[in-house]
Amino acid sequence: MANLLLTTRCVRSCPYCFAKNEMAESDPSDILSWENVIYVADFLVRSNDHHIALLGGEPTLHPQFVDMTLYLLERGFHVTVFTSGIMSDERLEQLGSYLSTFPPERIQFVCNLNNPDQTPAPKGETEKVFRFLTALGPWTTPGFNIYRTDFSLDFIFDYIARFGLQGQVRLGLSSPIANQDNLYIKKEDMKKVIDRLYGYRNRFEKLRARPSLDCGFPLCYFTDEQLGWFYRMAGPMNFGCGPAIDIKPNMDVYSCFPLSNIHKRSLFEFNSIQEVVAFYLTLHDRIRQDSPGVFEECAACIFRNEGRCAGGGVCHSIEASCP
Amino acid sequence: MRHPALVCPHVPSLLEQMNGYDIAVRVDRLEHVSRAAEDVRSAGGVLTRVILETDQPLSTVPIPEDWAGIPVALFTPGLGTYRDLSRQIQKLRDLKIHVCLPAGNSENLVSSRILASLGVTCCLVFDEREPRWAALSDLMTYAVFGPVPHAPVEPFHHIAEHYSPGAYLDWGSVYFDDPKEYLHLDSRGRAALSRRDLLSGSFIAEHISSINDPLENEGYVKGLNAWRRLFLDDHPCILCEGWKICLGRFGFNGSHKAGCSRFAADMLSEIEQYQSQRQEENPEGKTA
Amino acid sequence: MKTIIFKATDLCNSNCIYCHAVRKGDQSIKTMPLDILEEFFAKANAFLMEQPEETLKIIWHGGEPLMLGPDYFRRALEFKQTHCKDTGSRISFDMQSNLTLFSREYVDVLREMGIKSFGTSFELLPGIRGGGGKEGSDRYNRQFIEALSLLEQEGFSWGIIYVVTKPALKEPLRFFRTLANFVPSASVMFNPVTFYKDKTANVAITPEEFVDFLGGIFPEWWHHRDRYPGVDPFKSLVENILEGSDSLICVDSGKCADTHLSIGPDGMIWQCGRSSDWGLMRYGSIVDYSLSDIMNHPEKELLRKRTALLRDGECGACRFWDICHGGCPLDALAETGSVMHKSPWCWTKKGFIEKYFEPVTGIRYPCTHGG
């Protein structure tokens, strides 16, 4: 699945934002054109890939967000939209009118939620998120980015119950951006994060909500008991690392946000998404030759060598290798 | 020669005189489409197309189900919003409606690509407004080389399929503007070579019944070869690299436009490349 | 195959600046009388009876052949049918015409004669073709274009011979593009204007100028040769050089003695159209001689010897011999007073290949790959 950025503009300024680099560099007028939407759709169809994620910035800021999403649905794609849920009433109404006619199997929203107490939002933002969740709860999976060790998930469980969200919580580990400052979980704190997450197991179980771990979690920091619980709740876990393919509105392509300012290429240089993935896999392998994982022990780790753990995200490897 | 099809207004008394002719009937109201088709058929004409001209954007045209089996060319100023159109895409596709859009509006270049990629045939109509040549060129490349199957974008599809180095190519027929293929009648049955001639009152016959063999009509013969007169005028178009597939369509009436020549030359090159690739892939010209 | 340039009339409705046929001065017979026309077909039959493998291609030329009127062609067909009962299938007709007189009246008879294609000319420059001056050229071109329309409707094809004159030298590409755009099949041949003695100073060109004219076109043609497949001399040259074709036009073939004849309105037989126009190499009247006699005329023998003489002499060291053969003997005669020399125009082939063809294509003649 490729991630397509509809616009690099965003409505929020999250302290952990791993897309910050892309957002800062971008021209505010840098929004996806119809020609490029069609190009990407053709590119993915040709690659026999029928799943696309729409990202931003905030993708719903694109003036033709609804139109383009409908277009991709008409082309037969399963569409996942990553949104803050913060949008104008008019846009929300469009989403409700046009997109909610499709079943959640065709279109799904991942709403990246911030804890209102720990990451205070400007006035009115939370109400907007609520309005979004009210309108599109059944199509929405809550997402949460962990950037501090004392994070709290309680509000998410409340939202799931209150808005009828999908029973899955997408949990991201905030990552360092190469050569940039942002708040993220340092490697020495990862164990604490995992333990804290595990501490919410009763709440997950009560709601039958599945924890879905994003990339970057190292396998060795989980106890067998924790692994067993995660497996029981959400099935097999993936401790690999991408490459997630992000496509900018101008058709620049890179392998996930934290690596956006290195090894950027153009989608026009490739013939299929498989070619893009192969290119970045090779690149990641080269990076990992110098810095095999987050920890020194990663170099000799049997799980890493067997490919069951990537040794944390490659973004951490770059960060570790930086002076 | 085969008699050209007749583009007629929807006037039942006129259509009744058209027994045996190929007929494209022109209507200006949505609700007249089915009736016009029925009138042509019941008068013994062979319906080639119902031409509906509307001022409404496509997204606001409520396409009825009863157009099934009627070949419709829908001339509309634009797509409107995609979100409103999206509910009609399936119908446009199923009913095989040809959507004709003015090329002078840049938005329509994008709209054509959207429609074609969704399997809806569309046709760019070149009017007095100069198109954005670079965007048009981009669309032409998509139409000819788009790697994923899509519906035709006319006139590019027609040109790519019919161009031959040993002949000129007039693609006006894709929108009923080629006297070899279409003559235009007014409600009295007077015949003109084109829609433009019809509107300006320039007729070649007082009634179509007087034209048995068009080649015996002086006005018709002159009209067929109007483009050749550009050579007498030493018109800039006659030097153009893309002439063979343009015949002055972009630069007629002395209004030669700066970008058209580059565009036509690029188009010719791409079409040659397309045909050469096709020949390599299918040297015996086998069709699927 | 023998090609007979059949100049049944010297009359013409045009007055092209470079035309010799209309400047021959007073001649008692301007149009071939029917008895001579009939005599020709009788002689043609006798020749073909003697030569069962031979064919005759009769190119109606002039003057302007359409000045003859459709009835004249009907009579020609009748004579052919009368005299060539068993040999008629070995006689074919072509026509070189300015077409301005073409009308529906000609369609049936020309079709019956088996004519499918016309050689013709077109000129954008004023004062070169037509009745003289810009007005004359415009009128001529209008008539020409109207005739083309009719020709195409009736299913005939046509190609252009463009005679390159001095005023055209400045813009070779302009003429190439215009003509390639003008002719649907892109069947265009560029020939240099040639004169005998009277070199009309303002239109005559030199071989060097002709080579540079072709060189101004060739890179574009080479790049787009699939788009303009029928442009000569390039197409034929490529066929000769790359495909090993041995098909050569009369001036380059070294065999014109065996392949060409011309007959004038008075029944006089000449070596070729040009010799007839220039008043050179006259072989005698069709009334007095058989075609076999003519083919064995001593001057024909001289031409045959010319080829061997040049190959072993003046042209011996020339690597272009196989595609040139010393050029047109009449040009040699005009320039040196004898046909036994190479033509000054033969340099155009050598000059063009060395200066333009080889550098542009990167192909050196002769090719070593065996064509």
Side-chain angles (χ1 to χ4, degrees):
Chain A
M1 176 176 73
N3 301 322
L4 179 60
L5 278 69
L6 266 58
T7 174
T8 48
R9 288 166 59 204
C10 191
V11 288
R12 292 198 301 203
S13 182
C14 303
Y16 55 82
C17 180
F18 43 73
K20 201 179 265 180
N21 189 49
E22 275 312 301
M23 304 308 117
E25 271 185 6
S26 63
D27 179 342
S29 64
D30 191 11
I31 61 168
L32 189 69
S33 68
W34 268 108
E35 285 90 341
N36 284 347
V37 173
I38 297 168
Y39 184 85
V40 170
D42 283 352
F43 187 86
L44 294 177
V45 168
R46 203 164 22 139
S47 308
N48 201 25
D49 183 349
H50 299 280
H51 197 153
I52 192 167
L54 303 180
L55 277 68
E58 169 51 48
T60 62
L61 280 178
H62 193 295
Q64 286 168 305
F65 166 75
V66 172
D67 307 74
M68 288 177 170
T69 306
L70 285 166
Y71 171 82
L72 290 166
L73 288 163
E74 183 68 37
R75 291 290 304 265
F77 286 94
H78 176 109
V79 180
T80 302
V81 181
F82 286 80
T83 177
S84 63
I86 300 163
M87 62 192 75
S88 66
D89 291 347
E90 185 191 354
R91 181 54 43 84
L92 183 60
E93 195 183 318
Q94 288 172 0
L95 263 66
S97 304
Y98 294 98
L99 299 182
S100 65
T101 59
F102 289 85
E105 293 75 37
R106 296 293 317 282
I107 182 162
Q108 183 188 21
F109 294 87
V110 175
C111 188
N112 292 314
L113 299 163
N114 285 336
N115 186 318
D117 298 325
Q118 292 184 320
T119 314
K123 199 176 167 205
E125 252 188 33
T126 307
E127 287 70 28
K128 285 190 173 178
V129 173
F130 287 174
R131 279 204 289 274
F132 171 80
L133 295 177
T134 303
L136 290 155
W139 285 265
T140 303
T141 297
F144 182 74
N145 284 305
I146 303 166
Y147 72 98
R148 49 198 278 179
T149 52
D150 62 343
F151 65 90
S152 166
L153 289 179
D154 292 322
F155 77 106
I156 296 248
F157 299 113
D158 293 343
Y159 288 3
I160 290 174
R162 183 171 158 194
F163 299 108
L165 309 186
Q166 293 186 349
Q168 181 186 4
V169 183
R170 191 176 166 124
L171 296 159
L173 202 53
S174 181
S175 307
I177 306 170
N179 308 319
Q180 293 284 322
D181 287 331
N182 67 318
L183 294 182
Y184 65 94
I185 299 297
K186 301 208 166 17
K187 59 186 179 185
E188 55 272 24
D189 291 332
M190 286 184 184
K191 179 71 182 151
K192 276 188 222 162
V193 166
I194 292 164
D195 289 345
R196 188 168 177 84
L197 210 47
Y198 186 55
Y200 281 103
R201 60 188 180 282
N202 290 336
R203 304 273 333 245
F204 277 108
E205 286 174 13
K206 196 176 280 178
L207 280 170
R208 293 308 303 161
R210 286 172 285 121
S212 170
L213 301 184
D214 228 336
C215 57
F217 288 93
L219 169 61
C220 58
Y221 270 29
F222 289 81
T223 64
D224 286 352
E225 184 186 337
Q226 286 168 339
L227 285 172
W229 179 80
F230 273 106
Y231 181 85
R232 188 157 53 81
M233 291 301 291
M237 297 159 75
N238 178 12
F239 296 98
C241 168
I245 302 303
D246 295 327
I247 304 166
K248 281 187 72 181
N250 65 1
M251 298 292 100
D252 277 353
V253 60
Y254 46 82
S255 67
C256 85
F257 279 118
L259 302 180
S260 60
N261 56 357
I262 53 172
H263 302 296
K264 200 179 281 184
R265 303 297 288 259
S266 169
L267 193 68
F268 299 123
E269 296 173 46
F270 301 94
N271 291 308
S272 69
I273 201 73
Q274 290 80 10
E275 268 186 27
V276 184
V277 170
F279 173 82
Y280 283 108
L281 272 178
T282 308
L283 188 70
H284 285 197
D285 285 348
R286 216 180 308 144
I287 293 168
R288 287 184 188 281
Q289 276 171 11
D290 296 334
S291 177
V294 186
F295 312 108
E296 278 178 24
E297 301 88 308
C298 288
C301 174
I302 186 170
F303 299 118
R304 199 191 77 87
N305 292 338
E306 287 176 354
R308 273 188 278 158
C309 176
V314 74
C315 47
H316 285 277
S317 296
I318 289 176
E319 195 250 353
S321 65
C322 286
Chain B
M1 72 175 281
R2 190 174 62 84
H3 201 289
L6 304 177
V7 182
C8 303
H10 181 210
V11 176
S13 59
L14 175 70
L15 294 175
E16 279 163 18
Q17 303 166 49
M18 300 302 148
N19 184 9
Y21 284 106
D22 289 351
I23 301 290
V25 61
R26 190 180 285 279
V27 298
D28 54 12
R29 294 182 61 177
L30 193 70
E31 55 273 27
H32 292 170
V33 167
S34 304
R35 183 60 196 270
E38 196 184 311
D39 287 346
V40 170
R41 285 166 175 159
S42 62
V46 179
L47 181 70
T48 60
R49 192 117 343 235
V50 176
I51 303 167
L52 169 62
E53 276 192 58
T54 175
D55 293 334
Q56 291 176 253
L58 184 61
S59 60
T60 64
V61 176
I63 295 165
E65 300 288 351
D66 71 352
W67 286 6
I70 302 173
V72 176
L74 204 163
F75 284 70
T76 169
L79 202 71
T81 59
Y82 180 81
R83 54 184 172 272
D84 292 321
L85 179 69
S86 63
R87 291 171 176 148
Q88 305 227 76
I89 291 291
Q90 186 68 39
K91 249 191 265 181
L92 288 168
R93 218 165 23 216
D94 291 348
L95 295 171
K96 297 186 172 61
I97 291 169
H98 288 200
V99 178
C100 303
L101 299 158
N105 179 347
S106 299
E107 279 182 18
N108 286 337
L109 305 184
V110 175
S111 302
S112 300
R113 193 182 310 211
I114 294 171
L115 288 173
S117 71
L118 295 172
V120 179
T121 298
C122 47
C123 173
L124 288 168
V125 183
F126 295 91
D127 53 19
E128 68 285 352
R129 288 175 297 175
E130 184 164 6
R132 266 181 52 219
W133 297 109
L136 190 67
S137 189
D138 207 29
L139 175 63
M140 178 265 295
T141 303
Y142 170 79
V144 177
F145 286 110
V148 170
H150 56 76
V153 181
E154 301 293 10
F156 308 126
H157 176 77
H158 180 89
I159 296 170
E161 293 302 318
H162 294 91
Y163 168 71
S164 160
Y168 298 126
L169 184 66
D170 190 341
W171 37 266
S173 62
V174 299
Y175 43 81
F176 316 100
D177 185 18
D178 176 1
K180 286 195 294 301
E181 302 290 332
Y182 295 98
L183 287 175
H184 294 250
L185 304 192
D186 71 355
S187 57
R188 289 158 53 186
R190 292 184 295 181
L193 293 170
S194 65
R195 175 84 170 145
R196 183 186 295 182
D197 281 4
L198 185 83
L199 295 175
S200 66
S202 176
F203 297 100
I204 60 164
E206 281 305 303
H207 195 272
I208 187 63
S209 58
S210 69
I211 302 180
N212 289 324
D213 178 358
L215 291 178
E216 286 174 0
N217 181 291
E218 193 182 339
Y220 181 80
V221 171
K222 275 197 174 152
L224 273 190
N225 292 282
W227 54 270
R228 231 176 214 140
R229 287 202 292 273
L230 268 64
F231 286 86
L232 298 179
D233 302 338
D234 210 6
H235 193 281
C237 284
I238 66 172
L239 291 172
C240 176
E241 213 181 305
W243 166 264
K244 280 183 170 191
I245 52 167
C246 169
L247 299 183
R249 274 195 175 273
F250 298 126
F252 221 72
N253 301 325
S255 57
H256 186 68
K257 291 156 186 153
C260 68
S261 184
R262 186 70 261 146
F263 168 74
D266 287 348
M267 178 160 66
L268 182 53
S269 289
E270 293 206 14
I271 282 163
E272 285 170 335
Q273 193 188 337
Y274 165 77
Q275 292 197 340
S276 160
Q277 279 178 9
R278 198 171 57 171
Q279 176 68 21
E280 277 170 28
E281 288 161 10
N282 189 9
E284 289 168 22
K286 286 178 190 157
T287 50
Chain C
M1 180 174 73
K2 309 289 185 237
T3 299
I4 300 180
I5 311 298
F6 205 82
K7 290 171 171 280
T9 183
D10 277 339
L11 295 173
C12 187
N13 62 334
S14 181
N15 183 24
C16 303
I17 198 164
Y18 47 72
C19 182
H20 305 274
V22 295
R23 291 185 177 73
K24 283 182 182 170
D26 281 345
Q27 290 167 279
S28 52
I29 301 175
K30 285 283 190 188
T31 294
M32 185 181 281
L34 292 176
D35 57 336
I36 294 183
L37 183 66
E38 182 170 15
E39 182 73 23
F40 168 78
F41 281 101
K43 293 280 168 69
N45 179 61
F47 177 73
L48 291 171
M49 293 295 282
E50 286 169 31
Q51 311 272 343
E53 303 298 316
E54 193 56 276
T55 58
L56 290 180
K57 179 161 85 175
I58 295 166
I59 301 179
W60 292 88
H61 209 285
E64 167 49 48
L66 296 183
M67 290 288 285
L68 293 164
D71 283 344
Y72 193 91
F73 294 104
R74 284 191 198 101
R75 296 305 300 273
L77 264 182
E78 283 168 21
F79 292 143
K80 181 187 161 207
Q81 281 151 9
T82 305
H83 292 286
C84 309
K85 283 196 172 69
D86 297 328
T87 58
S89 62
R90 287 189 278 144
I91 297 173
S92 63
F93 297 106
D94 273 346
M95 187 173 282
Q96 181 73 29
S97 165
N98 68 32
L99 295 177
T100 55
L101 297 171
F102 184 76
S103 66
R104 286 198 190 281
E105 292 176 316
Y106 282 102
V107 171
D108 289 343
V109 68
L110 294 182
R111 208 174 264 153
E112 200 179 337
M113 290 166 74
I115 292 176
K116 292 180 181 141
S117 176
F118 291 81
T120 188
S121 277
F122 180 63
E123 178 61 83
L124 281 172
L125 293 167
I128 302 285
R129 290 181 68 78
K134 182 169 186 326
E135 199 183 316
S137 297
D138 287 351
R139 188 171 52 246
Y140 175 92
N141 281 345
R142 268 199 308 278
Q143 290 171 338
F144 175 65
I145 278 177
E146 280 171 21
L148 284 184
S149 307
L150 180 57
L151 205 68
E152 288 175 353
Q153 285 154 28
E154 297 295 344
F156 294 102
S157 61
W158 52 281
I160 289 275
I161 294 174
Y162 183 76
V163 179
V164 180
T165 56
K166 192 101 178 171
L169 295 176
K170 283 183 232 158
E171 299 175 279
L173 271 180
R174 178 174 166 234
F175 287 91
F176 166 68
R177 287 175 182 160
T178 304
L179 290 169
N181 282 342
F182 185 69
V183 188
S185 60
S187 174
V188 179
M189 175 181 249
F190 290 98
N191 276 350
V193 66
T194 54
F195 293 100
Y196 177 61
K197 291 182 182 169
D198 168 32
K199 297 193 176 180
T200 305
N202 58 341
V203 295
I205 63 171
T206 65
E208 290 80 2
E209 286 171 331
F210 184 58
V211 163
D212 287 337
F213 178 86
L214 294 180
I217 297 169
F218 185 69
E220 181 157 318
W221 180 82
W222 178 253
H223 184 60
H224 292 303
R225 55 193 181 281
D226 291 337
R227 182 182 300 171
Y228 308 116
V231 177
D232 265 322
F234 309 135
K235 171 192 157 228
S236 297
L237 200 58
V238 165
E239 285 170 0
N240 293 146
I241 293 176
L242 295 182
E243 296 162 24
S245 161
D246 59 1
S247 172
L248 296 166
I249 58 170
C250 61
V251 295
D252 294 328
S253 70
K255 294 176 183 167
C256 64
D258 295 319
T259 58
H260 278 69
L261 282 176
S262 174
I263 183 164
D266 54 0
M268 196 56 68
I269 298 181
W270 305 76
Q271 164 54 27
C272 62
R274 189 185 280 182
S275 82
S276 157
D277 292 344
W278 291 359
L280 302 170
M281 302 187 79
R282 186 169 67 173
Y283 298 144
S285 170
I286 190 75
V287 178
D288 302 325
Y289 295 95
S290 70
L291 287 178
S292 293
D293 293 337
I294 299 292
M295 292 310 292
N296 294 318
H297 192 279
E299 279 203 74
K300 286 253 182 206
E301 285 304 317
L302 199 64
L303 286 182
R304 288 180 187 111
K305 284 181 186 156
R306 173 184 186 257
T307 303
L309 188 77
L310 292 180
R311 184 191 58 218
D312 299 334
E314 279 178 28
C315 302
C318 181
R319 66 184 168 111
F320 303 105
W321 168 259
D322 285 345
I323 54 171
C324 172
H325 301 97
C328 175
L330 285 159
D331 287 334
L333 183 63
E335 197 68 24
T336 69
S338 166
V339 296
M340 304 311 275
H341 291 287
K342 65 182 182 182
S343 157
W345 286 93
C346 80
W347 184 84
T348 58
K349 191 153 268 187
K350 173 183 161 70
F352 173 72
I353 294 174
E354 288 184 336
K355 191 171 177 184
Y356 295 104
F357 183 89
E358 289 178 340
V360 169
T361 65
I363 297 163
R364 184 175 158 79
Y365 177 82
C367 297
T368 52
H369 58 66

